[in-house]
Amino acid sequence: MSDDVGARLRALRTFRGISQRELAKRCGVTHSSLSLIEQGKVSPSVSSLKKILDAIPMSVGDFFTMDLENRNQVFFGADELTDVGTGDVIYKLVGANRESRALSFMVETYPAGSDTGREMIAHQGEEAGVVLEGEIEITIGAQTRTLAPGEAYYFNTNIPHRFRNPGKSACRLVSCATPAKTF
Protein backbone atom coordinates (compact mmCIF):
# COMPACT_ATOMS: atom_id res chain seq x y z
CA MET A 1 0.00 0.00 0.00
CA SER A 2 2.83 2.45 0.80
CA ASP A 3 4.22 1.98 -2.74
CA ASP A 4 0.79 2.87 -4.15
CA VAL A 5 0.46 5.96 -1.92
CA GLY A 6 3.97 7.13 -2.80
CA ALA A 7 3.53 6.61 -6.55
CA ARG A 8 0.11 8.30 -6.47
CA LEU A 9 1.49 11.25 -4.51
CA ARG A 10 4.46 11.67 -6.87
CA ALA A 11 2.16 11.46 -9.92
CA LEU A 12 -0.25 14.00 -8.45
CA ARG A 13 2.50 16.40 -7.39
CA THR A 14 4.15 16.18 -10.83
CA PHE A 15 0.81 16.63 -12.60
CA ARG A 16 0.14 19.78 -10.57
CA GLY A 17 3.64 21.09 -11.33
CA ILE A 18 4.73 21.29 -7.70
CA SER A 19 8.29 20.45 -6.70
CA GLN A 20 8.94 18.17 -3.73
CA ARG A 21 10.52 21.03 -1.81
CA GLU A 22 7.59 23.35 -2.53
CA LEU A 23 5.03 20.78 -1.38
CA ALA A 24 7.05 20.05 1.77
CA LYS A 25 7.14 23.77 2.53
CA ARG A 26 3.39 24.18 1.92
CA CYS A 27 2.34 21.32 4.19
CA GLY A 28 5.00 21.59 6.92
CA VAL A 29 6.49 18.14 6.32
CA THR A 30 10.24 17.80 5.85
CA HIS A 31 11.51 17.39 2.31
CA SER A 32 13.24 14.12 3.29
CA SER A 33 10.00 12.70 4.76
CA LEU A 34 8.09 13.56 1.60
CA SER A 35 10.83 11.98 -0.51
CA LEU A 36 10.68 8.75 1.54
CA ILE A 37 6.88 8.62 1.18
CA GLU A 38 7.10 9.07 -2.60
CA GLN A 39 9.75 6.33 -2.83
CA GLY A 40 7.45 3.97 -0.90
CA LYS A 41 9.97 3.59 1.92
CA VAL A 42 7.66 5.18 4.51
CA SER A 43 3.91 4.87 4.80
CA PRO A 44 2.30 8.12 5.97
CA SER A 45 -0.36 8.18 8.66
CA VAL A 46 -3.83 9.21 7.53
CA SER A 47 -3.40 12.58 9.27
CA SER A 48 -0.01 13.18 7.57
CA LEU A 49 -1.45 12.26 4.18
CA LYS A 50 -4.40 14.61 4.76
CA LYS A 51 -1.99 17.40 5.71
CA ILE A 52 0.01 16.85 2.49
CA LEU A 53 -3.11 16.64 0.31
CA ASP A 54 -4.60 19.80 1.88
CA ALA A 55 -1.55 21.67 0.54
CA ILE A 56 -2.22 20.52 -3.05
CA PRO A 57 -5.40 20.80 -2.46
CA MET A 58 -7.19 17.46 -2.83
CA SER A 59 -9.37 15.32 -0.59
CA VAL A 60 -8.17 11.93 0.63
CA GLY A 61 -11.14 10.31 -1.13
CA ASP A 62 -10.30 11.95 -4.46
CA PHE A 63 -6.65 11.00 -4.00
CA PHE A 64 -7.48 7.30 -3.84
CA THR A 65 -10.05 7.36 -6.64
CA MET A 66 -8.18 9.51 -9.18
CA ASP A 67 -7.40 7.75 -12.44
CA LEU A 68 -3.63 7.62 -12.82
CA GLU A 69 -3.70 5.34 -15.83
CA ASN A 70 -4.21 7.14 -19.08
CA ARG A 71 -6.44 4.84 -21.10
CA ASN A 72 -5.76 6.70 -24.33
CA GLN A 73 -2.48 6.89 -26.16
CA VAL A 74 -0.84 10.25 -25.51
CA PHE A 75 2.26 10.30 -27.71
CA PHE A 76 2.43 9.32 -31.38
CA GLY A 77 5.34 8.52 -33.66
CA ALA A 78 5.18 9.76 -37.25
CA ASP A 79 4.32 6.23 -38.39
CA GLU A 80 1.37 6.10 -35.96
CA LEU A 81 -0.54 8.96 -37.58
CA THR A 82 -3.44 7.57 -39.61
CA ASP A 83 -3.75 8.83 -43.19
CA VAL A 84 -7.43 9.72 -43.68
CA GLY A 85 -6.88 11.71 -46.87
CA THR A 86 -8.42 11.07 -50.26
CA GLY A 87 -6.86 11.23 -53.69
CA ASP A 88 -3.46 12.92 -53.66
CA VAL A 89 -4.14 14.87 -50.45
CA ILE A 90 -2.66 13.35 -47.27
CA TYR A 91 -4.35 14.01 -43.93
CA LYS A 92 -2.33 12.51 -41.06
CA LEU A 93 -4.78 12.39 -38.14
CA VAL A 94 -3.38 12.52 -34.62
CA GLY A 95 -5.20 10.23 -32.18
CA ALA A 96 -7.47 8.52 -34.68
CA ASN A 97 -8.01 5.63 -32.28
CA ARG A 98 -8.85 7.73 -29.20
CA GLU A 99 -12.23 7.05 -27.64
CA SER A 100 -14.54 10.08 -27.56
CA ARG A 101 -12.17 12.24 -29.62
CA ALA A 102 -13.47 15.84 -29.46
CA LEU A 103 -11.43 17.31 -32.30
CA SER A 104 -9.55 16.41 -35.45
CA PHE A 105 -5.92 17.51 -35.36
CA MET A 106 -4.06 16.82 -38.59
CA VAL A 107 -0.85 17.33 -40.51
CA GLU A 108 -2.02 17.93 -44.08
CA THR A 109 0.06 17.57 -47.24
CA TYR A 110 -1.16 18.92 -50.59
CA PRO A 111 1.09 17.93 -53.52
CA ALA A 112 1.56 20.61 -56.21
CA GLY A 113 -1.69 21.12 -58.11
CA SER A 114 -3.85 19.06 -55.73
CA ASP A 115 -7.08 20.20 -54.09
CA THR A 116 -10.01 19.04 -51.96
CA GLY A 117 -12.21 18.75 -55.09
CA ARG A 118 -14.15 21.01 -57.42
CA GLU A 119 -17.15 21.07 -55.09
CA MET A 120 -16.99 23.26 -51.99
CA ILE A 121 -17.42 21.37 -48.72
CA ALA A 122 -19.41 22.43 -45.66
CA HIS A 123 -20.06 20.80 -42.29
CA GLN A 124 -20.84 21.89 -38.75
CA GLY A 125 -17.96 23.17 -36.63
CA GLU A 126 -14.83 25.28 -36.79
CA GLU A 127 -11.41 24.81 -38.35
CA ALA A 128 -8.07 26.52 -37.87
CA GLY A 129 -4.64 25.90 -39.30
CA VAL A 130 -1.22 27.27 -40.07
CA VAL A 131 0.92 26.74 -43.16
CA LEU A 132 4.32 25.15 -42.46
CA GLU A 133 5.75 25.05 -45.99
CA GLY A 134 4.63 25.76 -49.53
CA GLU A 135 1.43 27.67 -50.24
CA ILE A 136 -2.26 26.91 -50.12
CA GLU A 137 -5.17 28.73 -51.71
CA ILE A 138 -8.21 28.65 -49.46
CA THR A 139 -11.68 29.67 -50.58
CA ILE A 140 -14.18 30.29 -47.79
CA GLY A 141 -17.53 31.44 -49.13
CA ALA A 142 -16.78 34.30 -51.52
CA GLN A 143 -13.30 34.97 -50.07
CA THR A 144 -10.15 33.47 -51.56
CA ARG A 145 -6.62 33.92 -50.29
CA THR A 146 -3.29 32.21 -50.85
CA LEU A 147 -1.40 31.61 -47.62
CA ALA A 148 2.38 31.20 -47.26
CA PRO A 149 4.43 29.65 -44.42
CA GLY A 150 3.57 31.14 -41.04
CA GLU A 151 0.17 32.40 -42.19
CA ALA A 152 -2.99 30.95 -40.69
CA TYR A 153 -6.74 30.66 -41.00
CA TYR A 154 -9.76 30.16 -38.72
CA PHE A 155 -13.36 29.86 -39.92
CA ASN A 156 -16.80 28.33 -39.33
CA THR A 157 -16.96 25.19 -41.45
CA ASN A 158 -20.67 25.59 -42.20
CA ILE A 159 -19.47 28.15 -44.79
CA PRO A 160 -18.65 26.27 -48.03
CA HIS A 161 -14.87 26.00 -48.42
CA ARG A 162 -12.14 24.51 -50.58
CA PHE A 163 -8.34 24.06 -50.39
CA ARG A 164 -6.04 24.07 -53.43
CA ASN A 165 -2.27 24.06 -53.88
CA PRO A 166 -1.48 26.37 -56.83
CA GLY A 167 2.28 26.12 -56.23
CA LYS A 168 5.03 24.04 -57.80
CA SER A 169 5.96 22.28 -54.55
CA ALA A 170 4.04 20.43 -51.84
CA CYS A 171 2.25 22.40 -49.15
CA ARG A 172 2.23 21.18 -45.54
CA LEU A 173 0.03 22.63 -42.86
CA VAL A 174 -1.33 21.68 -39.47
CA SER A 175 -5.03 22.02 -38.79
CA CYS A 176 -7.57 21.43 -36.08
CA ALA A 177 -11.30 21.00 -36.59
CA THR A 178 -14.27 20.57 -34.28
CA PRO A 179 -16.28 18.57 -33.78
CA ALA A 180 -14.16 15.51 -34.48
CA LYS A 181 -14.69 14.15 -37.97
CA THR A 182 -15.28 10.47 -38.43
CA PHE A 183 -13.32 9.15 -41.36
Side-chain angles (χ1 to χ4, degrees):
M1 182 64 158
S2 64
D3 287 346
D4 186 45
V5 170
R8 282 180 147 331
L9 184 57
R10 183 176 42 253
L12 174 62
R13 179 183 56 73
T14 303
F15 177 73
R16 295 285 176 94
I18 304 168
S19 71
Q20 239 180 24
R21 289 192 188 281
E22 176 62 25
L23 182 56
K25 190 164 118 182
R26 286 184 192 180
C27 66
V29 173
T30 66
H31 174 255
S32 59
S33 295
L34 190 57
S35 177
L36 290 171
I37 291 168
E38 286 189 1
Q39 292 173 42
K41 294 181 179 177
V42 172
S43 183
S45 67
V46 173
S47 63
S48 293
L49 182 59
K50 182 175 180 348
K51 188 176 179 182
I52 293 167
L53 293 175
D54 284 347
I56 289 184
M58 177 179 269
S59 73
V60 174
D62 287 346
F63 176 73
F64 284 106
T65 58
M66 70 179 180
D67 183 10
L68 289 175
E69 292 185 30
N70 194 335
R71 292 190 181 107
N72 284 309
Q73 182 176 354
V74 177
F75 302 105
F76 300 86
D79 61 333
E80 295 176 297
L81 303 182
T82 304
D83 184 2
V84 295
T86 56
D88 292 336
V89 179
I90 300 168
Y91 295 146
K92 294 286 192 155
L93 181 62
V94 178
N97 59 351
R98 284 184 68 96
E99 295 176 26
S100 306
R101 188 168 42 84
L103 56 86
S104 294
F105 186 80
M106 296 184 285
V107 178
E108 302 181 26
T109 304
Y110 294 84
S114 66
D115 60 40
T116 54
R118 289 190 169 275
E119 297 292 319
M120 303 270 271
I121 28 180
H123 48 90
Q124 181 185 15
E126 294 183 317
E127 183 172 335
V130 63
V131 177
L132 301 176
E133 56 190 46
E135 60 183 15
I136 193 79
E137 177 188 272
I138 305 175
T139 301
I140 302 167
Q143 298 180 56
T144 299
R145 182 162 171 190
T146 300
L147 301 178
E151 295 183 308
Y153 61 90
Y154 189 118
F155 65 98
N156 289 324
T157 55
N158 62 335
I159 301 170
H161 54 282
R162 177 177 186 250
F163 291 71
R164 183 177 79 86
N165 180 350
K168 293 182 174 147
S169 62
C171 172
R172 278 188 356 124
L173 60 95
V174 291
S175 71
C176 185
T178 63
K181 298 175 189 176
T182 54
F183 296 94

